[in-house]
Amino acid sequence: HYKPEELLGLSNEEVIDLRKKYLFDAANNGGIESAYEIGRAYSFGMRVDELGLKKNIESAKKWYLKAAEAGHKEGAYELAQLWADDKEKKVAFKWYFKAAKACHLASQMKVAEYLLDDDFIFNDKAKGMEWLWLIAAIGYEHGKKSLIYRIATDVYATARYKLGRAYELGDWVAKDYVKAYWAYNLTTSLSTDLTKDRSSKTLRELAKIRRDQLEKKMTPDQIAEAQKLTTDWKPNWEQLYAGVMEDYPPGYPLWKIK
């Protein structure tokens, strides 16, 4: 960090040059957060007045990569986003997976979506469903009053709703109305104050509609079973985590993907 007194008497251009020098020096000497900040500046064309860095996607990839390789999960996610924009799914998946293993929630959802995509070369429906269950379980674990729950409610709702649709329609898994009803119940359990004016509010409402329609196709015993599953559900998210953490896909090390 530069000292405020270093800025005295400098022109605006000289101030920008000084800020840029300190930031790049830090990034080139192992400053992971600095590398990430440079990536963001290039990626979004932000901080032009402060750093003089205009939007440059290739430069953004370079600096995000530097941060991601050093373990910066946000850097890995943003790098994946850029590769996804370029339709390079294998490379994007590599970095989403790295961030997902570091507990980056949005990346975990991306990994699930990629694995469930028929057009993705490494698609694996069973593994994708495991990731969805993991996300749903993490939402339960964090609890409804925690800050992280409030921030991530949309992702939890999406995972739960996707599980409901999968079991209702028989997509990716065998059709199972009890589990579908259960997953819809999990979606509707998101409290209204957390979902107000957010996409998760829409999913909560859709889940209620789907659950009520599904109920007409179910026997009283099936409904009772689904309600009991909802009440008794105490997921072991650490066990679920262990099930998805091995390198994927087997026999194809992601680090080989350039």
Side-chain angles (χ1 to χ4, degrees):
H1 295 288
Y2 53 82
K3 298 177 182 178
E5 55 267 27
E6 292 183 75
L7 305 181
L8 295 176
L10 297 182
S11 67
N12 186 55
E13 290 76 13
E14 289 172 327
V15 169
I16 289 175
D17 287 342
L18 183 63
R19 286 171 173 164
K20 189 188 302 184
K21 177 184 182 301
Y22 272 98
L23 186 64
F24 277 81
D25 282 352
N28 284 315
N29 285 282
I32 302 173
E33 196 63 36
S34 296
Y36 172 70
E37 286 300 320
I38 294 171
R40 279 182 58 80
Y42 277 126
S43 181
F44 298 103
M46 298 164 55
R47 304 175 69 179
V48 176
D49 292 339
E50 183 181 350
L51 297 171
L53 302 178
K54 296 181 180 180
K55 185 171 183 176
N56 185 315
I57 297 303
E58 291 308 309
S59 293
K61 286 179 180 178
K62 170 188 171 182
W63 289 101
Y64 279 147
L65 176 62
K66 193 175 184 69
E69 289 182 332
H72 196 292
K73 60 185 179 182
E74 288 288 348
Y77 173 76
E78 295 295 351
L79 179 60
Q81 292 282 79
L82 294 182
W83 282 112
D85 289 343
D86 288 344
K87 313 301 182 186
E88 293 288 346
K89 285 190 172 183
K90 283 197 299 185
V91 183
F93 181 81
K94 169 185 177 177
W95 294 107
Y96 282 136
F97 192 82
K98 184 177 178 68
K101 290 180 70 173
C103 304
H104 189 272
L105 190 60
S107 294
Q108 291 175 349
M109 179 56 74
K110 287 292 187 179
V111 167
E113 291 173 348
Y114 271 50
L115 292 173
L116 294 168
D117 183 355
D118 287 331
D119 294 329
F120 183 50
I121 188 172
F122 301 137
N123 76 80
D124 184 326
K125 306 300 190 293
K127 188 66 69 176
M129 288 293 287
E130 287 181 23
W131 277 100
L132 288 182
W133 274 116
L134 170 66
I135 296 166
I138 292 173
Y140 174 91
E141 186 71 19
H142 284 159
K144 294 182 179 181
K145 293 184 179 180
S146 69
L147 176 62
I148 193 167
Y149 186 93
R150 290 174 178 270
I151 294 172
T153 302
D154 293 349
V155 182
Y156 300 141
T158 300
R160 296 172 184 190
Y161 185 77
K162 283 179 178 287
L163 286 167
R165 292 295 285 167
Y167 284 114
E168 179 183 2
L169 301 176
D171 288 343
W172 314 323
V173 289
K175 187 179 292 188
D176 188 326
Y177 286 169
V178 171
K179 287 184 177 178
Y181 191 101
W182 174 25
Y184 288 142
N185 258 352
L186 294 177
T187 312
T188 62
S189 70
L190 297 169
S191 59
T192 305
D193 64 320
L194 296 180
T195 58
K196 185 178 181 181
D197 300 324
R198 300 185 65 83
S199 63
S200 48
K201 180 181 181 183
T202 303
L203 288 175
R204 182 176 180 272
E205 293 168 345
L206 285 173
K208 185 179 186 303
I209 293 170
R210 298 304 313 165
R211 183 195 63 192
D212 292 346
Q213 292 176 341
L214 189 60
E215 192 171 283
K216 298 172 184 177
K217 305 176 185 178
M218 299 170 66
T219 67
D221 286 346
Q222 286 178 316
I223 295 170
E225 182 184 356
Q227 294 286 20
K228 188 174 188 306
L229 283 172
T230 305
T231 303
D232 295 346
W233 192 51
K234 291 181 174 60
N236 185 335
W237 70 271
E238 291 178 334
Q239 185 178 18
L240 288 167
Y241 228 120
V244 297
M245 282 299 101
E246 68 269 16
D247 284 335
Y248 189 87
Y252 199 116
L254 288 174
W255 60 265
K256 287 188 176 180
I257 299 175
K258 301 297 183 183

